[in-house]
C-alpha cells in the first residue's frame, strides 16, 4: 500500500521552512520510503524576526501569529505543490514552530494553525503532534524515534544536529530518545553577531580559543546529570545558558560551545556503546563539530546523502501523519516518557 505525504518542519534554529514530499510503502513486514521532492524556503527577515520574538508576545498577539503563520504555511505548501506538479497527495503534516515548551507544566505550543493550511491547500492536514504527549505526562519530544525505528533500523542510533542535538537508540529492546545539548540555537545566534547566518564549516569556532572555565560551567549544568527521557527548550537556554555568557569574544564563545556540544554528544555515544550512528541535521555541515565528535569517540559515524541530512525530520513528520491517519501509534512512550505509546496529531 502506498501513501503520499508532505512534511513541513520549522526548527528552533530558524534556518527556514523545510518541505519534503515523500512516498511511503507499507508491506507485511516493513515500511519503505522515497523522497520525491524537497526544498528549504528561507524565512524573510520579517518572518524570522516574528518567529524569533514570538515568546515575548501577548496572548492575543500569539493567537494572531498562530493563524497568520498557518496561512503562510498553506501558501508555501500550495506553491510547492504547483511548482513540482504534484498530483498524488494524501495528506500534509505540519510540525509548526515551537514558541513554548514546558512539559513539566503540561503544555507546549507549536504555532501554525492546521485549519489555515487546509484552507489554502484543500488537503487533509495533521498538526499539533506534541500536545497530546505532554498531557499524557511525556516530554512531547523527541518524536522522530518512530521514524528511526521503522525507516532507519539499520543503524544502532540516529543523531540529529539541529537547534538542539537529540538521539534515539535501542536499549533493552526498547527505543529511547532524548535531547543531548544545544547546538545551532547557540552557534547560529553567535554567528549572527559576526554578520553570518551560521558558522560555515565551523571556521569561526576553529579560529577561536576555548574558554575552559565557561566549558566547565556548561558541562556542570544540572540537565546533563538527569536521566532520559528529557528534552530542552528555549526557556532552558534563557534561564541556564545565557547568564553564563558575559564578555567573552564571540569567536571564543563559538569555540567553547562547539567543544561543549562535542563533549556532551561523545559522552552519550560512549555511555550507550553506540557502534554505528547516522548523523543528520544542519549541524552535519559543521565539519569542525564533526571532527571534534570523531576525536572523542570510537563510534562509526555515517553521514548520508544531502536530502536525508536536511529533510529527515520533515520526512518523519510526514510519516507520522500517515501512521496517524491509520490510527497507528506514532509516538513512543519509551522515547518521550508518556504513559503509553499513542497516535498523536490533530486531523482536519
Amino acid at each position: 500500500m502506498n501513501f503520499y505525504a508532505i512534511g513541513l518542519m520549522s526548527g528552533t534554529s530558524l534556518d527556514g521552512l523545510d518541505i519534503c514530499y515523500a512516498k511511503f510503502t507499507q508491506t507485511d513486514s516493513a515500511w519503505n520510503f522515497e523522497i520525491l521532492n524537497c526544498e528549504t524556503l528561507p524565512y524573510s527577515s520579517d518572518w524570522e524576526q516574528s518567529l524569533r520574538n514570538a515568546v515575548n508576545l501577548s496572548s492575543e498577539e500569539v493567537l494572531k501569529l498562530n493563524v497568520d503563520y498557518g496561512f503562510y504555511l498553506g501558501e508555501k505548501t500550495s506553491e510547492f505543490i504547483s511548482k513540482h506538479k504534484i498530483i498524488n497527495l494524501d495528506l500534509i503534516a505540519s510540525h509548526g514552530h515551537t514558541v513554548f515548551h514546558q512539559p513539566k507544566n503540561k503544555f507546549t505550543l507549536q504555532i501554525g494553525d492546521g485549519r489555515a493550511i487546509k484552507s489554502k491547500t484543500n488537503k487533509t492536514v495533521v498538526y499539533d503532534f506534541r500536545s497530546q504527549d505532554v498531557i499524557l505526562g511525556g516530554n512531547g519530544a523527541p518524536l522522530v524515534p518512530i521514524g528511526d525505528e521503522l525507516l532507519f533500523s539499520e543503524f544502532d542510533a540516529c543523531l540529529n544536529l539541529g537547534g538542539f542535538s537529540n538521539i534515539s537508540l535501542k536499549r533493552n529492546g526498547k527505543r529511547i530518545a532524548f535531547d543531548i545539548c544545544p547546538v545551532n540555537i547557540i552557534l547560529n545566534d553567535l554567528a549572527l553577531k559576526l554578520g553570518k547566518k551560521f558558522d560555515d564549516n565551523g571556521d569561526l569556532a576553529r579560529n577561536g580559543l576555548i574558554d575552559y572555565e565557561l566549558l566547565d560551567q556548561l558541562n556542570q549544568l544540572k540537565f546533563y546529570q538527569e536521566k532520559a527521557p528529557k528534552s530542552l527548550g528555549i526557556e532552558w537556554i534563557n534561564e541556564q545558558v545565557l547568564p553564563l555568557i558575559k564578555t567573552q569574544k564571540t569567536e571564543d564563545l563559538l569555540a567553547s560551545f562547539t567543544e561543549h556540544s562535542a563533549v556532551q554528544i561523545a559522552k552519550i555515544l560512549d555511555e550507550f556503546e553506540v557502534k554505528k550512528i547516522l548523523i543528520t541535521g544542519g549541524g552535519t555541515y559543521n565539519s569542525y563539530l564533526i571532527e571534534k565528535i570523531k576525536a572523542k569517540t570510537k563510534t562509526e559515524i555515517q553521514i548520508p546523502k544531502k536530502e536525508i541530512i536536511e529533510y529527515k525530520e520533515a520526512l518523519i513528520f510526514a510519516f507520522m501523519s500517515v501512521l496517524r491517519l491509520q490510527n497507528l501509534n506514532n509516538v513512543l512512550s519509551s522515547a518521550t516518557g508518556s504513559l503509553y505509546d499513542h497516535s498523536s496529531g490533530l486531523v482536519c
Side-chain angles (χ1 to χ4, degrees):
M1 186 179 296
N2 295 328
F3 300 89
Y4 295 85
I6 285 177
L8 308 176
M9 180 71 199
S10 175
T12 48
S13 54
L14 286 171
D15 295 334
L17 174 65
D18 292 340
I19 307 181
C20 179
Y21 171 53
K23 173 185 175 182
F24 299 95
T25 303
Q26 183 181 22
T27 64
D28 291 338
S29 58
W31 282 94
N32 294 297
F33 72 90
E34 179 184 359
I35 294 178
L36 303 175
N37 299 107
C38 51
E39 64 180 291
T40 298
L41 305 177
Y43 289 123
S44 67
S45 57
D46 286 346
W47 266 113
E48 183 178 342
Q49 186 57 38
S50 293
L51 295 173
R52 193 179 296 278
N53 188 54
V55 69
N56 300 314
L57 299 178
S58 69
S59 55
E60 290 177 348
E61 290 169 330
V62 170
L63 287 170
K64 183 177 186 305
L65 184 61
N66 177 48
V67 176
D68 289 346
Y69 186 56
F71 282 124
Y72 169 86
L73 293 175
E75 289 166 3
K76 293 303 177 184
T77 304
S78 186
E79 291 170 7
F80 177 86
I81 292 169
S82 297
K83 175 181 177 180
H84 296 287
K85 298 179 174 59
I86 293 171
I87 298 172
N88 295 319
L89 182 60
D90 297 305
L91 68 167
I92 297 166
S94 177
H95 170 271
H97 188 81
T98 300
V99 178
F100 301 110
H101 184 65
Q102 298 183 27
K104 289 180 180 177
N105 292 324
K106 292 291 190 288
F107 72 86
T108 182
L109 176 65
Q110 286 71 45
I111 59 171
D113 196 313
R115 294 165 297 187
I117 300 173
K118 177 176 171 54
S119 75
K120 291 291 183 180
T121 61
N122 201 31
K123 295 292 181 181
T124 299
V125 176
V126 184
Y127 68 110
D128 191 12
F129 288 92
R130 297 189 188 274
S131 292
Q132 179 172 290
D133 188 74
V134 169
I135 288 170
L136 290 173
N139 279 277
L143 299 186
V144 296
I146 189 67
D148 296 341
E149 178 79 8
L150 298 178
L151 301 179
F152 296 95
S153 59
E154 67 268 34
F155 297 95
D156 298 316
C158 292
L159 175 70
N160 177 63
L161 298 177
F164 298 96
S165 59
N166 53 67
I167 191 170
S168 86
L169 47 85
K170 274 288 188 69
R171 188 73 163 176
N172 299 322
K174 287 188 174 183
R175 182 161 292 270
I176 64 170
F178 52 93
D179 286 347
I180 299 177
C181 62
V183 184
N184 291 337
I185 194 168
I186 294 290
L187 298 181
N188 289 1
D189 195 50
L190 289 171
L192 279 174
K193 295 181 179 180
L194 297 174
K196 307 285 187 181
K197 283 206 164 186
F198 55 91
D199 187 3
D200 192 17
N201 293 319
D203 290 340
L204 296 173
R206 198 186 297 269
N207 292 320
L209 297 174
I210 296 171
D211 181 333
Y212 286 98
E213 181 180 349
L214 172 61
L215 179 63
D216 186 60
Q217 290 176 321
L218 290 169
N219 288 333
Q220 293 302 317
L221 289 172
K222 184 181 176 183
F223 177 83
Y224 300 124
Q225 279 71 55
E226 295 175 5
K227 296 296 183 183
K230 56 183 180 176
S231 65
L232 291 167
I234 187 65
E235 294 91 342
W236 183 82
I237 295 291
N238 292 337
E239 293 170 8
Q240 302 290 323
V241 176
L242 296 187
L244 300 178
I245 300 175
K246 296 170 184 174
T247 59
Q248 296 97 330
K249 184 179 173 185
T250 303
E251 287 88 344
D252 294 347
L253 286 173
L254 281 161
S256 302
F257 272 100
T258 302
E259 179 74 11
H260 169 63
S261 297
V263 166
Q264 293 302 325
I265 290 166
K267 184 176 77 171
I268 293 299
L269 297 183
D270 289 347
E271 178 183 337
F272 287 95
E273 300 177 341
V274 176
K275 293 182 175 63
K276 182 179 177 183
I277 193 167
L278 178 74
I279 301 185
T280 57
T284 308
Y285 295 120
N286 187 327
S287 56
Y288 184 56
L289 174 59
I290 298 298
E291 288 169 24
K292 286 281 186 179
I293 296 171
K294 285 182 176 179
K296 300 177 193 301
T297 181
K298 293 180 180 178
T299 299
E300 178 189 341
I301 290 173
Q302 290 218 359
I303 296 175
K305 54 187 178 180
K306 181 180 178 181
E307 63 181 19
I308 300 295
I309 289 175
E310 297 182 5
Y311 299 99
K312 178 170 172 276
E313 283 193 293
L315 168 75
I316 291 179
F317 275 97
F319 179 56
M320 287 177 67
S321 72
V322 170
L323 296 176
R324 177 69 184 93
L325 214 61
Q326 299 178 87
N327 287 316
L328 298 174
N329 289 335
N330 61 5
V331 177
L332 300 175
S333 60
S334 58
T336 67
S338 57
L339 293 173
Y340 45 78
D341 296 349
H342 54 100
S343 186
S344 186
L346 300 180
V347 182
C348 66

